[in-house]
Each structure stands twice: as structure tokens, then as C-alpha cells.
Amino acid sequence: MTNKVRHIYAAGNTARGYKTFYDSVLEGLERVYILTGTVEGITSPLIESIGNQMARKTNEVEWIHSPFVNGQFDGVIFPHYKVAIMDGSYPRMWRPASPGVTEIQVNLQAMVDVDQLVDDKDRIATWYEEIFNKSEEAYQAFGEALRIHDEWEAPYIENLDREEANRVTEEVIALFFRDEQREKKAKVRRMYLGAATPQGPVDHIMKLTDQLEKRYFIKGRPGSGKSTMLKKLVKEAQKRGFDVEVYHCGLDPHSLDMVIVPEKSLAIFDSTAPHEYFPSKDTDEVIDMYKRAITPGTDEKYEEELLDIKVRYTQKIKEATANLVAAKELRDQLNTTYQEAVDQQRLKAVSQALVSRLTKMG
């Protein structure tokens, strides 16, 4: 069997604050282990260790990446076992799970020599406060960037041929489903296409779609109907009983950037900056919404105005990213402080105990 290793984002630093799709991503699981305790820097290595050990026992592993520190993980899911290991530390918020899901709290506080942290307690409190402040400043700047993005959309919305945009959507729906109907309730799973991180925007589009039979790359401009088309496609999939993966925009969770219909082995995604890709396989196709549905010459007509908007938007994104970098640097200091106070042997024992328990479940 082929290995089904997936990389996703389930939480994001967005223009609407820190928002997660944990409820949707974890739906259908039977057990969720939540790593708790104020233990910065310990959870991700533990998740990675368990994930790597379990990868030798199951061909399905889904890594949930952290939007706070590039290369770190907020969780790992093992679909075959219907189980997840999740970081429950600040600011990830946990609500009681849906009926049927067993939540097991694994308190890592006992792994930390608290006496070793006493001398650093004031610094630790200051770091947490500063992380909060820098994150809030980042969300504010992303919020301003989104407002500028609305300005960017305006000329294109004004010059959008809605009838033609609807026609393109109907063509896509026909390409995806023809006249097929499934006699079951569709499962809808929501997550992020990518995330705003300290290293800038990151996504896993190519990894997520590489094995699919068909990919549609949507080109266009802000306001040319890309997200609207994807929302209509999701509704149609639900109506016809097809399971659907819905990938939300990392800047604006209200907007959609990609839809995958696994049962049809099809993907369609917004392939414009900051996640601009080009066809690389014979089966890839481009859908150009600018050519199809925007009045010719719109780019040229509003050239100066659009240039000014782009400059202001880029500036706000840079400002927001700089705040994420500042928050990450503070997290790094916290991580180092906690890692020095951790009993690594006890931590290793927790990792082995969890792997042993998970294996028995299978």
C-alpha cells in the first residue's frame, strides 16, 4: 500500500485573529490525546517523536503544522486508529469534544523541574505577555491588509461579468460531477490551505494534490469570483453526496482557496500569489477568470490605483509578519528555558507509553 502522509494547517494567524478548524479536522475520531501543562517547546518534539514511531506501524499519518514556529507541529492524526495527539497549550483553545469522542488529557507539567524555573518566573511571565501583544499586533496588521485587499477587489468586482462567472462555475460543476449522485450524506472537512507564519505564507498544495488524477489551477485577480466558485462547488458536492475537503484562506477564513473531492480524485484551487503555481502534469488545466469574466483592459485602466493598493497591502503583510517573527523569537526563549528544565527520560517514557497504547488500539 502507498504511504498516505499528509501535511495540513488546522489553525491560523488570520485577519480575524487566531482561528482554528480543529472541530472539523478531528471529526470522526474516537480518541484525542491532548498534551496539557505550561510546557512551551516540549509538545512539538513529543508529537513528532510519536508520529515518526507510529509511521512505522501505519501507512496513514496526517501532520498538523504549527503556524507559530515553522517546522513545528500542533498535532498528528492516525486515521486508521481514529486517534489524534494534539497540543493543548496556549493559545490553542479546546472545547469539550462531540459525543463519542474520548478526550484524554496528558499533563506534561510533571516532566518539568519547576524549581529550575523559579529564577526565571518573572521573565517567563513577561515573555508570555509579549507573545500575546506581538500576536495581537500581527492580527491587527493582517486585518488592515484585508481591508486594503477589499479595495483591491473593487475595480474587478465592478468589471465582473457575473453571468459569465456563473457559466464558468456551471462548467466546473459539470466537469466534476456530470449527472452523478451518491446515496449518502456528504462529509465536509474544513482546514486551511496554508498559513501566515514567521517565514511568510506557507502551503502544502502540491503535496496534497500530487497524487490526484486531475487538478484545476484557477488564475485571476482579487474579486474575479474564485472563492465564490469554490463555495458553490462545495454546496453542489454536499447536495450530490460527495465527500469534500474544503481549504480556507489563511488570511481570511471566510474565503475559500481550494476544494478537493477525494472520491473523484479532483482538486481545484486558487493559484494566484501568495500560492501561485503552474501546471506541471499533462492532466493539469488552467481556468483563467480574468480572461473569462473580467472586462478586457481593466488592469490597464486602473493601473496606478492598483499599484498604490498593492504597495500598501504588501507593507501591511510585512508589518504583520515582522510581529510574528518577534513573537517567535520570544517563543524560542521560552522553549529553551523549558527544555532545559525537562526530564528527558520521563518525556521519552510518555512517548513510548502513548505509542504502546495506540498500537494496542489498532
Side-chain angles (χ1 to χ4, degrees):
M1 287 175 79
T2 54
N3 277 359
K4 281 178 70 181
V5 177
R6 283 163 55 91
H7 296 269
I8 66 166
Y9 282 96
N13 300 306
T14 83
R16 302 176 193 278
Y18 173 72
K19 298 287 179 190
T20 80
F21 284 110
Y22 284 155
D23 288 357
S24 185
V25 165
L26 300 174
E27 198 177 338
L29 300 182
E30 289 170 3
R31 197 171 289 197
V32 178
Y33 289 89
I34 302 167
L35 308 176
T36 63
T38 310
V39 282
E40 274 299 325
I42 300 168
T43 44
S44 179
L46 184 57
I47 287 166
E48 193 169 2
S49 167
I50 293 167
N52 287 334
Q53 289 177 71
M54 287 299 292
R56 298 183 203 121
K57 302 171 191 293
T58 174
N59 69 318
E60 285 185 286
V61 180
E62 190 167 52
W63 294 98
I64 299 173
H65 286 253
S66 167
F68 304 119
V69 181
N70 297 83
Q72 287 197 359
F73 300 101
D74 280 350
V76 62
I77 299 173
F78 310 109
H80 171 74
Y81 294 87
K82 293 195 172 176
V83 70
I85 313 283
M86 300 296 296
D87 186 342
S89 63
Y90 171 82
R92 305 154 190 89
M93 291 156 284
W94 287 99
R95 294 190 292 282
S98 50
V101 179
T102 305
E103 278 189 0
I104 300 153
Q105 308 269 341
V106 180
N107 191 349
L108 299 180
Q109 195 81 62
M111 313 292 124
V112 180
D113 180 353
V114 181
D115 294 339
Q116 226 178 300
L117 296 173
V118 169
D119 293 344
D120 290 311
K121 66 176 186 184
D122 291 339
R123 280 200 303 168
I124 288 169
T126 303
W127 286 334
Y128 270 118
E129 190 179 344
E130 276 300 296
I131 287 168
F132 175 81
N133 291 338
K134 288 295 172 190
S135 300
E136 287 303 307
E137 285 172 35
Y139 303 148
Q140 197 174 340
F142 281 131
E144 286 166 22
L146 186 59
R147 282 189 285 279
I148 295 167
H149 199 271
D150 289 343
E151 287 180 50
W152 199 342
E153 290 182 350
Y156 296 108
I157 291 172
E158 207 176 299
N159 288 276
L160 177 67
D161 181 338
R162 283 180 172 74
E163 276 182 32
E164 187 61 25
N166 288 337
R167 203 169 293 127
V168 177
T169 303
E170 282 161 22
E171 286 171 19
V172 169
I173 288 169
L175 286 168
F176 268 57
F177 306 114
R178 297 182 181 85
D179 54 2
E180 293 175 63
Q181 181 76 41
R182 295 278 163 109
E183 296 309 313
K184 65 175 176 61
K185 192 178 179 212
K187 282 184 196 156
V188 180
R189 193 170 188 240
R190 296 181 181 276
M191 58 211 99
Y192 284 101
L193 177 81
T197 78
Q199 284 180 13
V202 175
D203 68 74
H204 298 290
I205 297 174
M206 292 295 104
K207 284 181 189 168
L208 286 163
T209 63
D210 187 50
Q211 300 301 315
L212 299 176
E213 287 173 20
K214 188 85 182 166
R215 303 186 296 189
Y216 293 92
F217 295 62
I218 314 174
K219 301 293 181 183
R221 309 288 185 273
S224 59
K226 299 185 297 291
S227 178
T228 304
M229 181 203 290
L230 295 178
K231 284 176 182 173
K232 286 179 180 175
L233 193 62
V234 171
K235 274 189 182 167
E236 194 66 31
Q238 284 180 272
K239 201 165 83 180
R240 291 170 181 261
F242 282 92
D243 296 347
V244 62
E245 292 177 3
V246 183
Y247 294 81
H248 290 250
C249 170
L251 179 66
D252 179 11
H254 294 178
S255 186
L256 302 190
D257 275 349
M258 178 163 78
V259 172
I260 293 178
V261 183
E263 291 156 307
K264 301 288 289 180
S265 197
L266 291 167
I268 181 167
F269 53 90
D270 180 338
S271 183
T272 57
H275 35 81
E276 185 173 21
Y277 293 99
F278 296 93
S280 58
K281 300 198 289 187
D282 292 344
T283 51
D284 291 343
E285 273 189 52
V286 170
I287 296 169
D288 193 327
M289 292 300 286
Y290 183 77
K291 279 184 184 168
R292 287 287 305 267
I294 301 287
T295 307
T298 300
D299 280 349
E300 293 76 14
K301 185 179 175 185
Y302 296 94
E303 191 176 0
E304 278 184 38
E305 187 185 321
L306 289 166
L307 185 63
D308 170 63
I309 290 168
K310 192 176 180 179
V311 167
R312 286 187 288 122
Y313 174 81
T314 305
Q315 187 52 45
K316 281 297 164 192
I317 294 291
K318 276 184 184 167
E319 190 184 310
T321 305
N323 282 307
L324 291 182
V325 170
K328 181 210 170 276
E329 284 166 358
L330 292 158
R331 276 182 198 281
D332 288 345
Q333 290 175 275
L334 263 178
N335 288 356
T336 305
T337 306
Y338 273 95
Q339 278 165 356
E340 284 168 1
V342 164
D343 183 332
Q344 291 296 341
Q345 288 306 112
R346 290 183 75 177
L347 200 62
K348 196 174 177 182
V350 169
S351 172
Q352 286 167 344
L354 277 168
V355 169
S356 173
R357 198 180 293 183
L358 295 179
T359 309
K360 281 173 189 162
M361 286 170 65

